[in-house]
Amino acid sequence: MTRGKFITIEGVEGVGKTTSIAFIEDYFKQLSQDILLTREPGGTPLAEKIRDLLLDARQTSITDNTELLLMFAARAQHLEEKIVPALEAGHWVICDRFTDATYAYQGGGRGIEISRIASLEEWVQGALRPDLTLLLDLPVDEGLKRAGERSTPDRFEQEKQAFFERVRETYLGMARAEPQRYRVIDASGSIEAVQSRIKTVLDELTAP
Ligand code: Z5A
């Protein structure tokens, strides 16, 4: 059995990941490709409980290290219970955020040393890394404007613009460092325009 491909979608708040994932799901359904759609933090019942804690705006006392460890606790559960078995069964896994979000938010945003995140990555994932990462990129103020038109802000959404600017810079730095894995997609313009850019990347990925 050939291992499935592991595709992650990343980006700063409000860039349109959730909107794009529905399009990506349809794209693969049309190809009759077996896919598992999932998200982080979360993806399993236990990891979703950890997600609730992490996003709860009333949890004002969570320290940066606790936040980091909870992200990896949820990830360990998600990997062992869901992602790895699916990949081994030959399914393609599409994950809304993964460890690059930890580098961007806990590393870039909170200022936690990158070496600490790298140690946890090695411990929890071993050699497993995404095959492809789509980074939806948009100026931070535009993403925040889009997101602000929705519900009450969660614990991360209460951060200031400077936090999200650091997150975006970290993502773009990772994309420059790993051009073979990353595809940066301009997330500006209409939903249709963004979907057309995503389609170009997926066509390249699935070309025989
Ligand atoms: N986090 C972390 O810190 N460390 C980690 O390791 C991980 C995560 C894994 C939850 O993530 C939080 O966890 C996240 C980082 C942290 N917090 N933040 N910020 P999440 O992915 O669940 O939550 P999110 O980033 O807040 O996602 P989001 O707000 O749902 O954004 P989105 O999925 O990118 O956007 P969207 O819902 O598709 O679109 C936002 C709005 O814009 C919506 O009303 C759309 O209809 C509209 N939209 C979308 N595209 C367009 C276009 N092209 N034009 C106009 N309007 C559009």
Side-chain angles (χ1 to χ4, degrees):
M1 173 72 68
T2 317
R3 175 188 170 279
K5 286 199 189 296
F6 184 26
I7 302 170
T8 57
I9 322 287
E10 300 279 0
V12 184
E13 168 72 7
V15 289
K17 288 179 296 89
T18 309
T19 310
S20 305
I21 279 173
F23 171 78
I24 294 171
E25 181 178 22
D26 279 351
Y27 179 95
F28 284 116
K29 270 192 186 153
Q30 281 175 26
L31 294 184
S32 304
Q33 173 67 53
D34 269 335
I35 58 160
L36 170 72
L37 264 187
T38 188
R39 68 171 181 183
E40 290 218 341
T44 73
L46 179 65
E48 288 289 329
K49 283 193 194 297
I50 299 175
R51 177 190 177 92
D52 290 344
L53 266 178
L54 281 162
L55 298 195
D56 186 349
R58 294 166 304 177
Q59 299 292 342
T60 51
S61 64
I62 296 185
T63 69
D64 292 353
N65 281 337
T66 304
E67 182 178 283
L68 173 67
L69 292 167
L70 284 174
M71 287 294 174
F72 271 102
R75 184 161 299 136
Q77 187 69 29
H78 191 202
L79 279 164
E80 286 184 44
E81 191 178 329
K82 202 163 170 186
I83 295 180
V84 171
L87 290 172
E88 284 175 355
H91 302 302
W92 288 26
V93 175
I94 320 284
C95 194
D96 183 349
R97 296 195 185 281
F98 192 61
T99 304
D100 291 334
T102 313
Y103 282 107
Y105 282 80
Q106 282 64 55
R110 303 274 189 235
I112 293 181
E113 281 166 46
I114 296 305
S115 58
R116 263 190 209 181
I117 301 175
S119 309
L120 288 166
E121 179 181 40
E122 185 66 32
W123 181 31
V124 168
Q125 292 168 225
L128 180 69
R129 298 290 181 275
D131 298 295
L132 174 73
T133 296
L134 303 181
L135 173 61
L136 297 184
D137 183 56
L138 192 65
V140 168
D141 52 350
E142 285 183 44
L144 293 181
K145 190 162 168 285
R146 284 183 188 173
E149 283 157 14
R150 291 177 318 181
S151 54
T152 5
D154 65 33
R155 201 171 61 79
F156 288 96
E157 290 165 351
Q158 294 184 335
E159 290 297 334
K160 304 258 180 311
Q161 178 155 343
F163 174 89
F164 294 109
E165 296 286 1
R166 294 195 297 278
V167 171
R168 182 184 185 210
E169 279 317 305
T170 310
Y171 271 130
L172 290 172
M174 288 189 284
R176 281 192 296 273
E178 279 192 82
Q180 69 294 353
R181 169 164 74 90
Y182 263 91
R183 294 292 178 277
V184 181
I185 292 168
D186 173 6
S188 64
S190 67
I191 292 178
E192 293 71 27
V194 177
Q195 289 176 346
S196 154
R197 292 174 203 131
I198 293 174
K199 183 175 180 303
T200 303
V201 171
L202 297 180
D203 285 347
E204 182 196 320
L205 177 75
T206 54

